[in-house]
Amino acid sequence: MSTETRTDLYPTRGVSEVATPRVDPVVWSPPGARGPIRQSDLEGFERDGFLAIEELIGPDEIGMYQAELNRLITDPAVKADERSVVEPTSQDVRSVFEVHRISEVFAKLVHDERVVGRARQILGSDVYVHQSRINVKPGFGASGFYWHSDFETWHAEDGLPNMRAVSVSIALTENYATNGGLMIMPGSHRTFLGCTGETPRDNYKKSLQMQDAGTPSDEALTKFADRHGIRLFTGSAGSATWFDCNAMHGSGDNITPYPRSNVFIVFNSVENAAAEPFAAPVRRPEFIGARDFTPVK
């Protein structure tokens, strides 16, 4: 039996909230490395923790992805699948996980060099999909996602050792300033906020609808917002936002008549593969935190 112990660089889910300075790089590739992202944009990503792209998917393509999203969320078999999250009040589909395995259309998007090429450039290695999903925010009351760092959950519950993952949110509908768009605190990725409270077994079942464990305190969020500010992202269908795994982010409810939907893909370095959870009794299911580390080619 091995007696090897792991070093936990980012402690969380303890008795007190602890802010830990980031020790990992933000951009892992060396300066001048080839890829679709310009050096000036990489420098902006390193500084702010995000990169907005006005048109990642062209107008001639977006209809295909919109049609596929609508097919998935209206399919009774998909709604009944454990990989789907349903709004408690309306019983509408809110999210569908592992969408790149359910849908050939979204699988091709993951392999698109405009997408995976940027992930490789930021992370400086081959990458695999740690998580994918479509998020749906229909109008008139769809609930938002509270402030959080994704890495806090992926570290605590999936066992990602280092901050070497990046997410892309690709808009499939217009993102207005009013329909529950993504908000990020620029520069917040430089500090890891370890949260309080033990992780319940099967915490994912509750957290996918309403985050509890891993939620920062109001006091900590106020300090972060005062220090970093808040950026709200808008854009047309086909626009995209890349953001660091430790960026503090969230989104509000959508009480407008205008739906907001996106496809969300998380790439992790093959050199940062998920291991055992750092602060949870069991692993989350593979459709939320992948254990297939096959590089995307």
Side-chain angles (χ1 to χ4, degrees), residues 23 52 55 67 72 74 95 100 116 136 148 172 187 206 231-232 243 245 261 264 280 294-295:
V23 297
E55 186 181 291
L72 290 170
T74 56
S95 300
H100 70 294
V116 68
V136 184
H148 63 285
L172 300 182
K206 180 180 179 183
R231 167 78 182 270
L232 169 66
F243 58 101
C245 59
S261 300
F264 179 80
T294 305

Side-chain angles (χ1 to χ4, degrees), residues 69-139:
L69 177 140
N70 290 331
R71 182 188 73 80
L72 290 170
I73 65 174
T74 56
D75 184 337
V78 172
K79 184 176 181 178
D81 194 291
E82 66 172 344
R83 290 172 287 190
S84 294
V85 181
V86 177
E87 283 278 1
T89 51
S90 67
Q91 291 299 298
D92 292 330
V93 173
R94 168 177 172 151
S95 300
V96 180
F97 281 79
E98 214 171 41
V99 71
H100 70 294
R101 296 193 182 279
I102 294 174
S103 162
E104 291 185 9
V105 172
F106 287 113
K108 290 179 181 178
L109 180 62
V110 164
H111 290 266
D112 192 312
E113 193 61 25
R114 293 171 297 180
V115 178
V116 68
R118 285 178 165 87
R120 292 193 198 103
Q121 191 177 1
I122 291 170
L123 300 180
S125 69
D126 279 336
V127 297
Y128 71 92
V129 177
H130 177 69
Q131 185 186 104
S132 73
R133 67 179 187 263
I134 48 173
N135 291 329
V136 184
K137 271 192 181 179

Side-chain angles (χ1 to χ4, degrees), residues 160-205:
L160 265 60
N162 296 97
M163 295 179 182
R164 200 171 180 180
V166 66
S167 302
V168 61
S169 175
I170 305 171
L172 300 182
T173 56
E174 185 83 20
N175 280 229
Y176 300 104
T178 52
N179 66 341
L182 174 68
M183 296 181 287
I184 297 177
M185 298 185 186
S188 60
H189 63 304
R190 293 286 186 180
T191 304
F192 176 78
L193 188 61
C195 300
T196 61
E198 293 186 3
T199 309
R201 181 176 288 269
D202 290 343
N203 179 56
Y204 77 94
K205 293 180 180 179

Side-chain angles (χ1 to χ4, degrees), residues 235-277:
S236 59
S239 61
T241 305
W242 290 85
F243 58 101
D244 180 83
C245 59
N246 190 48
M248 190 66 70
H249 66 288
S251 64
D253 296 349
N254 181 14
I255 62 171
T256 75
Y258 311 112
R260 175 185 173 265
S261 300
N262 69 302
V263 57
F264 179 80
I265 306 164
V266 181
F267 293 100
N268 188 36
S269 169
V270 295
E271 299 172 14
N272 189 45
E276 292 306 310

